[in-house]
Amino acid sequence: ISIIAGLTWYFKRHVSLEELIGHEQRLRQAIANRPWHAFLTGLGIYAIVSLIPGTSGKSVVCAWLFGFWQGVILILLGLTAAATVNFYLSRYIFRDWIEQRFARLLKNLNKHLAEEGAFYLLTLRMAHFPFSIINLVSGASRLHVRTFCWTTALGLLPGTVVFAWVGVRLPSLDRLASSGAASLLDPLLFAALAASAALPVVLRWAIRRITMPGHVKHIEQAPPKQQPQHHTIP
């Protein structure tokens, strides 16, 4: 909170709206002039930022700058690359710590992977289970890296499409400055925001409806209830 407050104070005191508009216009022009260079640079930045837990909102900003289709591709590649880095770090460097810290999750993951294969991991991704935890636990499991990569990309696709849609519906700073708050009164923007909020709930509901009995609903299952013991009267 203190960092956000400090940045807010700095921008109010030292950066004007006109300067921010100028920076945005130059950035968009650079992307238009050198699209491949801009795409690769953006991909690298996005992948590095994705390694930091809790950095939400970057997908919306990415699509706001690069557009819908480029944004979707960049987001999926960046997230998959960051997830794969975490996967390898977990498997070859932090495995002992993860086996102690997430012993129960790891046991359940290995069990369901043996029974259901890639479908289990795919449902976790689509249900928006915490990104970092899946990466770490998957690295310490018996999962093959190719299966991890394609399930990550495919499972994150629905959410990526929705967040990219939110990004492209947001107005530029120039339009926001000229039209004011009225530029935010976009029915499609409100629909995109509503979809981004409802998507995890809808996907979890759909997964519970379509999965067969015994398939995953939560990565952590409640411990089995003990059956009451019946004692015979001597």
Side-chain angles (χ1 to χ4, degrees):
I1 297 176
S2 59
I3 295 176
I4 296 175
L7 290 174
T8 302
W9 175 85
Y10 175 83
F11 279 112
K12 284 184 178 180
R13 291 290 300 272
H14 302 283
V15 181
S16 65
L17 179 59
E18 289 75 16
E19 288 179 301
L20 291 177
I21 292 174
H23 289 317
E24 180 201 354
Q25 291 175 342
R26 285 190 292 272
L27 184 57
R28 291 184 182 276
Q29 189 61 44
I31 293 173
N33 291 338
R34 304 182 65 185
W36 281 106
H37 180 269
F39 181 86
L40 294 176
T41 302
L43 177 60
I45 295 173
Y46 191 94
I48 293 173
V49 174
S50 298
L51 293 171
I52 306 172
T55 53
S56 58
K58 56 187 180 296
S59 299
V60 175
V61 175
C62 177
W64 181 67
L65 286 172
F66 285 90
F68 181 79
W69 291 111
Q70 287 190 31
V72 168
I73 296 172
L74 192 153
I75 293 166
L76 286 179
L77 290 178
L79 289 176
T80 304
T84 305
V85 170
N86 283 327
F87 179 92
Y88 278 117
L89 289 175
S90 170
R91 174 156 295 183
Y92 297 111
I93 297 179
F94 303 114
R95 185 165 192 155
D96 292 339
W97 176 80
I98 292 169
E99 288 176 346
Q100 295 177 0
R101 178 66 177 81
F102 301 104
R104 185 180 180 185
L105 299 182
L106 184 58
K107 180 180 178 180
N108 284 336
L109 181 62
N110 282 323
K111 174 186 174 182
H112 286 289
L113 286 174
E115 294 175 354
E116 302 156 25
F119 177 77
Y120 179 73
L121 185 60
L122 184 61
T123 55
L124 292 180
R125 289 297 193 193
M126 295 187 70
H128 286 226
F129 195 84
F131 185 75
S132 300
I133 294 179
I134 295 180
N135 299 338
L136 294 175
V137 177
S138 297
S141 72
R142 296 186 292 268
L143 185 68
H144 195 282
V145 65
R146 283 181 295 185
T147 303
F148 176 80
C149 289
W150 76 258
T151 53
T152 295
L154 183 60
L156 294 175
L157 179 59
T160 297
V161 169
V162 172
F163 293 132
W165 186 26
V166 174
V168 297
R169 298 308 307 178
L170 287 175
S172 65
L173 294 179
D174 188 20
R175 182 185 168 197
L176 186 62
S178 59
S179 302
S183 60
L184 297 174
L185 300 178
D186 180 1
L188 291 180
L189 175 59
F190 291 142
L193 291 172
S196 65
L199 181 66
V201 178
V202 173
L203 288 176
R204 289 190 185 102
W205 175 85
I207 288 169
R208 292 190 182 100
R209 295 284 294 179
I210 66 176
T211 50
M212 296 173 60
H215 278 218
V216 60
K217 292 182 181 179
H218 297 287
I219 191 170
E220 278 192 283
Q221 294 182 340
K225 296 182 179 180
Q226 294 183 352
Q227 296 295 330
Q229 296 182 356
H230 300 280
H231 299 280
T232 57
I233 300 176

